[in-house]
Amino acid sequence: MRLFIGIALPDTIRDKIGADVSKLKKVVPGRYVSKNNYHITLVFIGETDQTGAAAAKRAMDAAVIGQAPVDLSIGRPGLF
């Protein structure tokens, strides 16, 4: 399976991005994903099996022990 670690986006943010993507589709050809698949990828791990996926989950669980939740908001599109 292809494995990545990502952040799911709330419907309100996916809807806002989806509206902009709809405009973009009219002028920029390409392959666009469904807004239901919008997310923020933190790291792409690649092909792995169940054992690798379980190890990644254990590592993520250990990394967030004692960490407070993070609030995210969106602004204008930009580059980084």
Side-chain angles (χ1 to χ4, degrees):
M1 75 182 82
R2 290 172 48 129
L3 185 64
F4 67 92
I5 298 170
I7 299 172
L9 299 172
D11 290 341
T12 54
I13 292 177
R14 285 188 287 159
D15 289 343
K16 288 177 184 179
I17 295 170
D20 289 338
V21 169
S22 291
K23 295 174 189 173
L24 190 63
K25 285 180 183 180
K26 295 176 183 175
V27 294
V28 179
R31 192 186 79 159
Y32 293 86
V33 299
S34 164
K35 75 177 182 179
N36 294 330
N37 291 328
Y38 292 171
H39 63 276
I40 299 171
T41 299
L42 300 175
V43 64
F44 180 72
I45 296 171
E47 289 295 326
T48 189
D49 57 15
Q50 291 290 344
T51 302
K57 183 178 183 324
R58 285 192 303 275
M60 288 187 303
D61 290 343
V64 299
I65 291 174
Q67 299 297 314
V70 175
D71 290 326
L72 298 176
S73 61
I74 61 171
R76 297 185 339 219
L79 302 172
F80 59 91

